[in-house]
Amino acid sequence: MAIHLNDVSRTFGEYLLIPGLTTKLCVPPNISLRTPLVKHKAGEMPAIRLNIPFVSAIMQSVSGPDLAIGLARNGGLSFIFGSQPIESQAEMVRRVKKFKAGFVVSDSNLTPEHRLSDVLHLINTMGHSTIGITDDGSPNGKLLGLVTSRDFRAEKDDHTMKVKFFMTPFEKLHVGKVGLSLSEANQLIWEHKLNTLPIIDDSQRLVYFVFRKDYDSHRGNPYELSATDKTLLVGAGINTRDYKERVPALKEAGVDVLCIDSSDGYSEWQQETLQWIKQEYNGNVLVGAGNVVDADGFNYLVGAGADFVKVGIGGGSICITREQKGIGRGQATAIMDVAQARDEYLRKTGLYVPICSDGGLVHDYHMVLALAMGADFLMMGRYFARFDESPSKKLRIGNNYVKEYWGEGSNRAQNWQRYDMGGTETLKFEEGVDSYVPYAGKMKDNLDITLGKIKATMCSCGAVTIDELQRNAKITLVSSTSIVEGGAHDVILKEQT
């Protein structure tokens, strides 16, 4: 007969946190949500550390370049979805890396001989309203002028009009020279009341742009997750089929970390993928793996070289793996089991391998429970799919606005590469559904509320860091009747007007 585990497979909804001593230091401004993303030696800093413990799910309906930019600006990280052609995924990574609060290489350029129709097409394609006009239309050609939305009226001007007749010519531009520091560039922007400052070399060739909006935005995003060169950090999902072609392309595009995306990561295909990446790049490419739900899966992937391990099977809001295949584990039980294995690995080797909780989060307080139970950071799909920055469409259904949200295991995603079963290139049955989520508006507005709740809960637990929360938090199982007691009960609620 099968090996029978005696523990019950439990979810976050079956637990509550017990309050700890809230000292005078336990106030929200003192709470640090910084957490390691990748493995590191005990006592040393990891190569990447998140400023908030959130990463976005590797999903078509969640992690596009706009969300990756928005999340990185707020301290988290996105993994650009891998269920697309290699070049289009690499281009998404490049878009994120080019968006930085500092010196930006222009990717929207034309020549003076182009027409207004070309300008409008470029704006619609790239989403940028500032276009560098160079002699050859390249990002590093001789700068001859600039076009912004102030230079034309799309609804009235002749679309065949050449750029040279409405651009702001070089002679009227304020420019900076290569070698200028970012603070000096920003000073020029303020002195001349500019929105854009082109940076040129001694031959008048365009090198960078510096934007006022980046300076203002950076001040409003103190937790921004960026590299030493001011580029935002971004990850990307890969599979175990075309990794030998996909990884080099993503690396060339500037990706900072990879993650193998699979509904079940305890496989020889993931082992082979990890080992190839580590050998090919001499251990210099960071890559996570998963998903697993127990110590055996964790130890297997860590032994293969994983820099972090993703935990969770069947707990996502659009995942039906448990229903279809009968495999998985309650997310709370899975996290606690894998966290124990991670801590044991640390004691044996001196290496700390972070774990990511993926799925099973229904309420914001479940996030704190997941962290207290041992997760270093959380991967979320439904949470981020609701925002303006996600790639899916916003629709009106009845009196409500919603956004489309579909699983990577659904037929719509056509993501057969996610299933490490070998064989033919088809999806035999669905492990995810096609759905809607309530539209919630801008990411930052919602994120600030969620992070405020997490900090308040940590204060009640007497913890000012995630590490303290994991060491000192107390949790208790709850009965079905105490769950009812925890909500509004025995009253008649007023109707919302």
Side-chain angles (χ1 to χ4, degrees):
M1 62 175 287
I3 298 170
H4 178 224
L5 303 181
N6 291 321
D7 65 318
V8 178
S9 184
R10 298 193 181 277
T11 66
F12 295 130
E14 297 176 77
Y15 290 92
L16 285 174
L17 290 151
I18 301 294
L21 174 63
T22 303
T23 68
K24 293 180 180 179
L25 291 175
C26 291
V27 292
N30 290 339
I31 301 296
S32 170
L33 296 177
R34 301 193 78 177
T35 188
L37 179 74
V38 293
K39 70 182 174 185
H40 56 95
K41 292 182 180 179
E44 296 185 2
M45 289 286 292
I48 299 177
R49 188 165 63 157
L50 301 172
N51 291 327
I52 62 171
F54 291 173
V55 298
S56 66
I58 309 170
M59 301 175 69
Q60 296 173 8
S61 56
V62 179
S63 294
D66 291 338
L67 190 126
I69 290 168
L71 186 51
R73 305 224 73 179
N74 284 280
L77 183 133
S78 288
F79 288 91
I80 301 293
F81 66 92
S83 50
Q84 60 177 314
I86 293 172
E87 185 47 45
S88 63
Q89 187 187 22
E91 182 55 34
M92 288 186 180
V93 169
R94 279 190 285 269
R95 279 187 58 188
V96 179
K97 297 306 289 185
K98 287 176 182 177
F99 185 101
K100 58 182 179 178
F103 298 103
V104 181
V105 176
S106 176
D107 60 359
S108 295
N109 305 279
L110 295 170
T111 72
E113 296 302 314
H114 278 93
R115 301 182 184 276
L116 177 55
S117 58
D118 298 311
V119 171
L120 297 175
H121 175 73
L122 194 57
I123 290 173
N124 290 332
T125 302
M126 304 302 295
H128 300 157
S129 59
T130 299
I131 298 174
I133 307 303
T134 60
D135 61 341
D136 58 2
S138 73
N140 300 117
K142 184 177 181 180
L143 183 64
L144 301 179
L146 208 62
V147 168
T148 71
S149 57
R150 297 178 180 179
D151 295 315
F152 60 87
R153 296 175 300 174
E155 67 281 1
K156 292 186 176 182
D157 290 339
D158 182 358
H159 287 199
T160 64
M161 180 171 52
K162 290 189 176 182
V163 168
K164 63 184 177 183
F165 294 121
F166 61 88
M167 72 181 187
T168 302
F170 179 80
E171 295 75 23
K172 294 184 179 181
L173 295 176
H174 292 283
V175 298
K177 287 295 187 73
V178 171
L180 200 69
S181 70
L182 185 57
S183 60
E184 290 170 335
N186 284 321
Q187 186 60 37
L188 284 175
I189 286 174
W190 281 100
E191 285 178 2
H192 299 289
K193 299 181 180 180
L194 307 174
N195 288 323
T196 307
L197 178 71
I199 305 297
I200 61 173
D201 63 15
D202 292 334
S203 301
Q204 199 179 310
R205 291 190 171 277
L206 178 62
V207 182
Y208 301 113
F209 283 135
V210 178
F211 295 98
R212 174 192 287 267
K213 65 179 178 64
D214 283 349
Y215 175 75
D216 293 338
S217 182
H218 182 66
R219 292 183 64 192
N221 294 280
Y223 299 119
E224 188 173 85
L225 192 67
S226 58
T228 54
D229 63 356
K230 302 298 183 181
T231 58
L232 299 177
L233 298 191
V234 63
I238 60 172
N239 61 66
T240 59
R241 308 289 182 124
D242 63 9
Y243 59 91
K244 292 182 181 180
E245 296 77 39
R246 190 173 294 269
V247 172
L250 293 170
K251 186 79 174 87
E252 188 275 331
V255 75
D256 297 287
V257 58
L258 303 171
C259 184
I260 305 173
D261 181 34
S262 174
S263 65
D264 178 10
Y266 190 9
S267 74
E268 290 184 344
W269 287 283
Q270 288 218 8
Q271 180 192 54
E272 290 176 359
T273 303
L274 287 166
Q275 289 177 342
W276 183 87
I277 293 171
K278 291 301 178 181
Q279 291 169 5
E280 186 74 12
Y281 293 95
N282 297 315
N284 293 321
V285 169
L286 302 171
V287 54
N291 287 17
V292 300
V293 293
D294 64 4
D296 290 341
F298 171 84
N299 289 323
Y300 184 81
L301 293 179
V302 171
D307 290 294
F308 66 85
V309 174
K310 210 144 64 76
V311 180
I313 294 177
S317 60
I318 40 69
C319 185
I320 54 174
T321 296
R322 298 179 194 175
E323 178 183 313
Q324 292 282 54
K325 294 169 65 176
I327 65 167
R329 199 177 196 185
Q331 189 68 4
T333 302
I335 286 294
M336 288 188 283
D337 189 10
V338 175
Q340 187 174 0
R342 180 220 30 224
D343 294 344
E344 180 62 27
Y345 186 82
L346 172 64
R347 284 190 289 271
K348 288 181 178 178
T349 66
L351 283 175
Y352 187 88
V353 182
I355 60 174
C356 168
S357 178
D358 179 15
L361 300 171
V362 179
H363 304 292
D364 285 356
Y365 81 88
H366 289 172
M367 300 176 187
V368 188
L369 275 168
L371 295 170
M373 290 172 177
D376 295 282
F377 56 97
L378 316 173
M379 177 171 279
M380 297 182 290
R382 179 185 60 86
Y383 179 86
F384 290 114
R386 305 172 299 148
F387 302 146
D388 287 325
E389 293 84 353
S390 74
S392 63
K393 294 179 181 179
K394 182 176 75 171
L395 307 170
R396 183 167 181 167
I397 298 181
N399 294 323
N400 299 309
Y401 283 100
V402 298
K403 294 205 76 176
E404 293 181 298
Y405 180 48
W406 60 93
E408 288 300 293
S410 67
N411 277 323
R412 177 173 181 172
Q414 298 183 347
N415 189 8
W416 63 269
Q417 296 97 331
R418 192 170 189 262
Y419 301 92
D420 298 329
M421 299 294 176
T424 59
E425 301 180 4
T426 56
L427 191 63
K428 300 298 184 184
F429 56 88
E430 290 187 291
E431 293 186 40
V433 299
D434 197 344
S435 64
Y436 302 109
V437 290
Y439 169 66
K442 294 184 182 298
M443 179 198 302
K444 185 171 177 58
D445 296 340
N446 290 273
L447 201 55
D448 286 345
I449 294 171
T450 297
L451 295 175
K453 289 181 184 179
I454 291 175
K455 290 180 179 181
T457 305
M458 289 176 63
C459 289
S460 294
C461 293
V464 296
T465 67
I466 292 174
D467 181 61
E468 281 187 18
L469 180 71
Q470 292 172 346
R471 286 188 282 108
N472 301 327
K474 296 175 288 185
I475 59 175
T476 181
L477 277 168
V478 294
S479 66
S480 58
T481 51
S482 66
I483 292 174
V484 174
E485 179 188 64
H489 61 90
D490 302 321
V491 294
I492 300 173
L493 296 178
K494 295 181 180 179
E495 291 186 5
Q496 299 292 324
T497 59

